[in-house]
């Protein structure tokens, strides 16, 4: 019996002990809940914040709905912090809340595309926007940006004129072609060319030239979208004139040659030259279109680089149409340039796709100014930033590095080891893929930090500095850096030392 009682007592005792232990905790939880509720209640309302003098100032620059939305977001964020128990450590004064609102709006107003410093050693970096414009091109864009212009207006006749007349004149003068037209980029030029010349028909291309370039441009896919049918001939490494000849039949509309801009096939190879292709085209009365990719106007081999195909020489060799980019080696704005036989270019211009792919006035202005400088400049290599970066001497690059070193050391502090080293840069954007340009880099090391951490820190500078990592070391390539101060990071927004 007594055993039984004891058995029953034990749990009662236990419950009491538990209750005594738990009560303070429960009380604490309740008092915290009280505090949280009080803090939440005390937060100013949106209406109240809007009446604050600094908020009124914001309302002169931003619309009311936007400011209200941002106020709500800041208050939501603060509520979250209070609920997580940080209520005691955050300042809930109205001034501080408005300061947070201010900060949030400033951050939200930053353009998504910001200036960065390209110290990667890839001159035409597709991810960093490719070519930089010349001063002439920038001036031309500004001039047409905020005024009406005679874009499609013939001033002499006082009536509608042609949008691309001057560009066509410049392009034919520079390339020796009969006619020219311009679209938004080279991918669009290839699409327009294929659709105009071969919709519903066959286009013969070598298997060695079925390229894919960055951003998912692929010849087979573009071909399919153009409505033309791809007829691949030859093998990856070797294609012969007979391969084209044997594939030609009544449905064939075009022979296409594609410059293998971002790779090279080496070893046991055979390529049908443009001249051979033109001869086959003549025999069968078929046009030959060449997608040159970069397409240069000047011979870079004068400056110690390998020769990139020159547009005028391809026209001279008999290509019916040549397409190339405005913002690769040419060093102009993003555009697709098409030059060639007048009857074919006329057809392109009559194609409704041309209207869908056309450039805006800013592009046309920048392109015209760039082309005009190619026609007129006594020293084009100095005027086009891309060409200047290609052709700069290693001595000049090293001199920039020597000016930079002491300033960079001061900015980074003594725990960083920096030194100049010889290295190789590249052109990028698929031009001259195997070409290595001699360059000078600054290697930046810190025994406490990995190369990735250092790279990340440089990306937090204002403007962000983008270098490259090679064999676990962080390098800043100086080939594209003309002002050494560009590489002295401004870490105002984030400290580098940890
Ligand atoms: C770069 C390139 C293109 C695409 O040119 P975008 O101007 O980028 O549209 C097409 N074909 C070749 C061979 C290229 O190198």
């Amino acid at each position: 019996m007594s055993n039984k009682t004891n058995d029953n007592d034990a749990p009662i005792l236990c419950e009491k002990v538990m209750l005594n232990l738990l009560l303070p905790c429960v009380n604490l939880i309740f008092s915290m809940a009280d505090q949280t509720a009080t803090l939440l209640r005390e937060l100013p309302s949106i209406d109240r914040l809007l009446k604050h003098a600094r908020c009124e100032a914001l309302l002169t620059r931003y619309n009311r709905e936007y400011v209200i939305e941002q106020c709500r977001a800041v208050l939501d964020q603060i509520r979250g912090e209070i609920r997580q128990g940080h209520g005691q450590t955050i300042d809930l004064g109205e001034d501080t809340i408005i300061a947070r609102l201010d900060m949030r709006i400033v951050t939200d107003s930053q353009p998504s595309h910001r200036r960065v410093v390209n110290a990667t050693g890839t001159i035409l970096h597709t991810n960093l926007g490719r070519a930089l414009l010349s001063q002439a091109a920038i001036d031309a864009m500004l001039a047409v940006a905020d005024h009406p212009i005679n874009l499609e207006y013939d001033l002499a006749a006082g009536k509608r004129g042609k949008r691309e007349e001057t560009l066509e004149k410049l392009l034919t003068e520079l390339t020796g072609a009969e006619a020219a037209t311009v679209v938004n980029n080279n991918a669009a030029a290839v699409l327009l060319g294929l659709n105009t010349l071969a919709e519903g028909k066959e286009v013969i291309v070598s298997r060695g030239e079925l390229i894919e370039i960055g951003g998912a441009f692929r010849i087979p896919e573009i071909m399919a979208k153009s409505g033309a049918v791809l007829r691949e001939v030859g093998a990856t490494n070797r294609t012969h004139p007979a391969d084209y000849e044997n594939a030609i039949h009544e449905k064939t509309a075009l022979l296409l040659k594609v410059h293998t801009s971002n790779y090279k096939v080496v070893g046991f190879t055979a390529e049908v030259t443009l001249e051979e292709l033109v001869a086959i085209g003549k025999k069968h009365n078929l046009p030959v279109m060449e997608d040159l990719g970069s397409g240069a106007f000047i011979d870079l081999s004068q400056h110690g680089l390998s020769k990139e195909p020159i547009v005028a020489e391809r026209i001279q060799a008999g290509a019916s149409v040549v397409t190339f980019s405005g913002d690769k080696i040419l060093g102009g704005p993003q555009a697709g340039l098409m030059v060639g036989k007048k009857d074919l270019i006329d057809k392109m211009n009559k194609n409704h796709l041309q209207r869908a792919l056309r450039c805006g006035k800013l592009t046309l202005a920048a392109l015209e100014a760039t082309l005009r400088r190619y026609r007129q400049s006594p020293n084009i290599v100095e005027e086009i930033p891309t060409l200047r970066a290609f052709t700069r001497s290693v001595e000049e690059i090293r001199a920039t590095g020597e000016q930079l070193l002491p300033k960079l050391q001061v900015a980074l502090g003594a725990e960083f080891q920096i030194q100049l080293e010889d290295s190789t840069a590249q052109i990028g954007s698929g031009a001259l893929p195997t070409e290595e340009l001699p360059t000078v880099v600054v290697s930046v090391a810190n025994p406490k930090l990995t190369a990735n951490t250092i790279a990340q820190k440089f990306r937090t500078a204002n403007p962000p500095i983008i270098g490259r990592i090679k064999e676990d070391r962080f390098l800043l390539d100086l080939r594209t850096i003309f002002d050494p101060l560009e590489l002295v990071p401004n870490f105002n927004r984030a400290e580098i030392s940890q």
Side-chain angles (χ1 to χ4, degrees):
M1 187 77 184
S2 65
N3 268 350
K4 210 178 176 186
T5 318
N6 276 347
D7 277 357
N8 282 344
D9 277 355
I12 293 170
L13 188 69
C14 214
E15 267 168 28
K16 275 187 184 158
V17 171
M18 289 282 280
L19 211 59
N20 280 341
L21 280 174
L22 273 177
L23 256 175
C25 296
V26 172
N27 278 341
L28 187 66
I29 288 167
F30 275 121
S31 76
M32 271 171 63
D34 271 357
Q35 262 176 22
T36 302
T38 313
L39 287 173
L40 289 175
R41 243 193 334 270
E42 281 172 2
L43 275 181
S45 66
I46 290 178
D47 274 347
R48 198 183 154 94
L49 289 175
L50 289 175
K51 292 198 182 97
H52 193 283
R54 271 173 69 192
C55 211
E56 281 183 349
L58 282 176
L59 285 168
T60 62
R61 284 187 295 139
Y62 302 95
N63 73 53
R64 198 173 173 83
E65 290 72 25
Y66 175 74
V67 176
I68 290 176
E69 215 177 87
Q70 299 305 311
C71 271
R72 187 168 293 132
V74 168
L75 289 173
D76 279 351
Q77 205 179 23
I78 294 175
R79 278 188 204 104
E81 291 165 15
I82 293 174
R83 287 199 186 98
Q84 282 170 12
H86 305 308
Q88 300 303 328
T89 51
I90 48 177
D91 182 354
L92 298 176
E94 252 174 65
D95 285 342
T96 312
I97 296 176
I98 296 280
R100 283 177 70 159
L101 174 68
D102 227 1
M103 194 62 189
R104 187 183 169 90
I105 289 181
V106 166
T107 310
D108 192 48
S109 308
Q110 288 262 335
S112 63
H113 292 141
R114 297 162 56 202
R115 177 194 164 181
V116 300
V117 179
N118 175 12
T120 60
T122 300
I123 299 172
L124 288 169
H125 202 302
T126 298
N127 304 147
L128 303 182
R130 289 194 187 159
L132 308 181
L133 293 179
S134 63
Q135 194 55 51
I138 295 165
D139 293 345
M141 277 175 96
L142 285 179
V144 303
D146 66 347
H147 291 289
I149 59 163
N150 58 335
L151 183 64
E152 293 179 353
Y153 187 78
D154 183 334
L155 284 174
K159 56 178 194 192
R160 189 181 175 140
K162 275 167 64 186
R163 166 183 281 252
E164 280 136 21
E165 204 161 28
T166 315
L167 270 176
E168 178 169 29
K169 183 164 171 288
L170 283 164
L171 276 170
T172 53
E173 284 165 358
L174 284 162
T175 63
E178 293 171 10
T181 191
V182 180
V183 286
N184 201 23
N185 53 39
N186 185 35
V190 175
L191 176 68
L192 179 61
L194 292 174
N195 178 268
T196 308
L197 303 178
E199 189 179 18
K201 304 238 180 73
E202 281 187 14
V203 179
I204 306 179
V205 192
S206 159
R207 289 203 169 88
E209 297 174 2
L210 292 177
I211 62 155
E212 168 177 316
I213 64 153
F217 173 88
R218 281 174 157 188
I219 291 294
E221 274 78 354
I222 283 284
M223 188 82 74
K225 287 288 178 197
S226 76
V229 179
L230 171 66
R231 180 74 193 269
E232 24 179 308
V233 296
T236 306
N237 58 332
R238 288 171 74 82
T239 303
H240 308 281
D243 294 325
Y244 288 89
E245 295 258 19
N246 294 338
I248 292 174
H249 62 118
E250 70 279 4
K251 289 214 82 181
T252 310
L254 178 69
L255 307 179
L256 176 68
K257 186 158 182 62
V258 184
H259 181 49
T260 56
S261 46
N262 52 3
Y263 66 95
K264 264 202 159 57
V265 183
V266 295
F268 185 55
T269 63
E271 181 193 336
V272 177
T273 64
L274 178 62
E275 288 79 359
E276 289 170 313
L277 215 52
V278 167
I280 298 169
K282 278 224 171 77
K283 195 163 134 199
H284 298 273
N285 201 20
L286 291 170
V288 177
M289 180 164 104
E290 183 169 39
D291 170 13
L292 263 195
S294 247
F297 284 166
I298 60 163
D299 184 356
L300 288 171
S301 64
Q302 299 163 6
H303 302 278
L305 286 103
S306 307
K307 186 165 171 177
E308 182 75 356
I310 294 169
V311 182
E313 291 181 2
R314 311 310 272 180
I315 292 294
Q316 180 83 43
S320 323
V321 176
V322 177
T323 76
F324 52 106
S325 289
D327 58 346
K328 290 187 183 168
I329 287 186
L330 216 60
Q334 178 190 302
L337 288 67
M338 308 181 81
V339 298
K341 297 266 188 291
K342 180 152 179 14
D343 57 333
L344 302 185
I345 298 290
D346 279 351
K347 277 193 196 164
M348 312 267 180
N349 283 331
K350 289 198 185 106
N351 188 333
H352 292 290
L353 259 187
Q354 158 65 289
R355 174 62 182 81
L357 302 173
R358 78 179 186 191
C359 307
K361 65 174 182 177
L362 298 179
T363 303
L364 294 178
L367 186 57
E368 181 181 321
T370 308
L371 297 179
R372 209 181 281 288
R373 291 319 292 156
Y374 269 100
R375 273 282 280 165
Q376 300 174 340
S377 169
N379 191 1
I380 190 71
V381 161
E382 279 301 307
E383 271 191 58
I384 303 281
T386 305
L387 297 180
R388 212 174 141 208
F390 286 164
T391 57
R392 228 175 147 200
S393 75
V394 180
E395 291 68 43
E396 189 197 318
I397 300 173
R398 200 186 313 283
T400 307
E402 268 149 19
Q403 288 175 338
L404 166 68
L405 277 192
K407 298 184 178 87
L408 186 59
Q409 191 72 68
V410 170
L412 294 179
E415 33 334 342
F416 281 83
Q417 290 131 25
I418 55 175
Q419 65 187 50
L420 296 183
E421 289 172 23
D422 291 327
S423 186
T424 48
Q426 52 183 324
I427 289 186
S429 279
L432 300 177
T434 52
E435 184 89 5
E436 296 201 322
L437 295 173
T439 187
V440 176
V441 298
V442 191
S443 77
V444 181
N446 180 326
K448 292 204 204 106
L449 304 175
T450 65
N452 265 322
T453 310
I454 300 176
Q456 192 197 338
K457 291 293 176 191
F458 271 81
R459 291 200 303 273
T460 66
N462 188 17
I465 296 174
I466 315 213
R468 70 166 180 267
I469 291 176
K470 195 180 168 200
E471 287 155 9
D472 243 9
R473 284 161 358 105
F474 180 63
L475 307 177
L476 296 168
D477 196 306
L478 292 158
R479 181 161 274 281
T480 44
I481 306 297
F482 290 88
D483 174 3
L485 289 181
E486 279 208 309
L487 282 190
V488 178
N490 176 354
F491 288 122
N492 278 345
R493 297 182 312 128
E495 279 310 315
I496 187 153
S497 49
Q498 295 196 324

